[in-house]
Amino acid sequence: GAEARARQDGAYFHSYSDVSIHEEMIADSARTGCYRRALQGGLRPASGPEPRARVSLLRGRTVLDVGAGTGILSVFCAQAGAARVYAAEASAVMAERAREVVEANGLSGRVLVLRGRVEEAELPERVDAIVSEWMGYGLMYESMLRSVLHARDRWLKPGGLLFPCQAELYIAPVSDPALHERLSFWAGVKEQHGVDMACMAAFARRCLMNDEMVVTPLHGEDVLTRPAMFAAVNLYTVTEQQLEELGGLFSVSAFGIATMHAFAIWFSVTFPTSAPTDRTGDGGDDDGQRATRSHDD
Amino acid sequence: GAEARARQDGAYFHSYSDVSIHEEMIADSARTGCYRRALQGGLRPASGPEPRARVSLLRGRTVLDVGAGTGILSVFCAQAGAARVYAAEASAVMAERAREVVEANGLSGRVLVLRGRVEEAELPERVDAIVSEWMGYGLMYESMLRSVLHARDRWLKPGGLLFPCQAELYIAPVSDPALHERLSFWAGVKEQHGVDMACMAAFARRCLMNDEMVVTPLHGEDVLTRPAMFAAVNLYTVTEQQLEELGGLFSVSAFGIATMHAFAIWFSVTFPTSAPTDRTGDGGDDDGQRATRSHDD
């Protein structure tokens, strides 16, 4: 029956198996690899006689990981030479996992897991950097960003680094061949089962093409125009108030004829690649070179 | 972040798009084809001079469809020659869809859609047959069976037919290669990202291998013994009380060595192939020949 399938499908994917979510995030190599390269690849001038010597950006620094989960980002930081990493994790279950991971990597001396919400955390000191994977679908959907901003304002030293430091939102009209197939389903029932169900297509369209956001994979060829950036966020300076008003006008121009099913939105985040004292300018958009694009699907 | 992905995955598959559930059920050709063959393929002796003449089992009969959804089963019945079909559907949205489907197939004269719960329905007469696709995962999970039994007791004529008329539950130990892959994931993170996360495997096992029921596809070669039937239900006679106690002992014997990850359970339902007066015996298990096995995945 319909009710049983609806409920069970939801339970299957929205499982209380917390492991599934973390598995999915770590298996996302674009995401995890990007954070690793950003945290371990950035360099700054070494103190000492050699003028061109460089060390890891985080070497000897202190870091706060907001929403540490399994602790993998904290481990990346410690591997990059951070002196101390505070891994804040609200879930008691995951905080225990993070402790195990830190221990297994021999880093218990430098990575401290703090169980609880970062808003309630008490650190012994302000930190040189904050790292967090806070992004939700479409960047802002149920994101942890507010917690990150709170931590920034309370715990980040002046001139400290944010990983990531900038976010941009893009939009483009797209075709969705899978959706097209689904809408076509009802016209085929007559041939398949001898019952004319073409009238269901209008209902299907109302259910599947509305203002609800869905997460779905797309291919490049399904993007029908050059993407338009419609919002950008400087994470060093943005306020909660500005987040409420996030958005902007956009203009796109198609260069062919295709069926448009939806607007797709996605984000890109940028990581700092230099130390604050290395920066030219006033901390505007040129500071962070895009190490690698990190997209939601 | 974890929270965003968890919530959105659930919403995506457990969508409020009612169309998705009905699409999935009708696209399940084993299910839909089985019902069609059962409702349109059964024959009974024709009244008249010719001793070997046969007509459709449902010809000229009255039928109640419990939980009609899109109305497809009711249409099958009308196409088989039923004189009147009462299609009971609790959802106002789907009742309207069923009316449209019935109309599109020219059957508004013989199929009456009754919006509301079947427990509250008022039919002008008792019916010759009841049809329903009530089965949940593992047969009983959030199934509509209680509503069907209520309708049976209130509206089915003595000697009337039930589609389906019997259900059986099977169990066997299985391997789950996909699960095995997932458990192996954590040992591979060291090579992939330089972080030893083997300690996460125990947590993964606790999350993924417990007493929670999951719905997952399997292949025949993953079933490790001959299946054991551990429960059978005669839908003509079963009581709600008996449903509470549904279950039984089983014994299986493996003929090789393989990794067992779980017990799989599935059901089979049987449809009547003859009219009550055609039956031999007293209405026991021999009455319905298995037209086709109908399985949940």
Side-chain angles (χ1 to χ4, degrees), chain B residues 68 91 121 227 236 286:
Chain B
S91 153
Y236 288 115
D286 284 339

Side-chain angles (χ1 to χ4, degrees), chain A residues 41-161:
Chain A
L43 298 173
R44 69 171 196 263
S47 48
E50 181 57 39
R52 287 193 294 258
R54 291 274 186 271
V55 294
S56 282
L57 203 52
L58 293 179
R59 176 161 169 174
R61 303 301 198 220
T62 55
V63 186
L64 170 60
D65 179 354
V66 178
T70 56
I72 189 172
L73 301 187
S74 292
V75 171
F76 286 159
C77 291
Q79 289 174 336
R84 266 184 312 286
V85 183
Y86 303 100
E89 173 49 45
S91 153
V93 169
M94 292 317 299
E96 194 50 39
R97 303 290 78 71
R99 282 189 187 119
E100 288 168 0
V101 168
V102 166
E103 174 74 33
N105 289 272
L107 296 168
S108 299
R110 286 192 286 134
V111 180
L112 179 63
V113 176
L114 305 175
R115 184 180 80 191
R117 298 175 65 240
V118 74
E119 288 86 344
E120 289 149 17
E122 276 300 324
L123 273 57
E125 55 183 336
R126 281 184 176 257
V127 295
D128 299 302
I130 289 177
V131 61
S132 181
E133 204 276 78
W134 54 266
M135 298 84 76
Y137 289 118
L139 193 68
M140 295 302 298
Y141 183 76
E142 294 196 2
S143 77
M144 248 197 313
L145 182 54
R146 281 177 176 72
S147 296
V148 176
L149 299 189
H150 188 280
R152 174 196 69 185
D153 296 339
R154 174 68 187 87
W155 296 112
L156 189 63
K157 291 177 184 173
L161 295 176

Side-chain angles (χ1 to χ4, degrees), chain B residues 78 85 98-113:
Chain B
V85 184
R99 282 188 188 120
E100 288 168 359
V101 169
V102 166
E103 173 75 34
N105 288 274
L107 297 168
S108 298
R110 288 193 284 133
V111 181
L112 177 64
V113 177

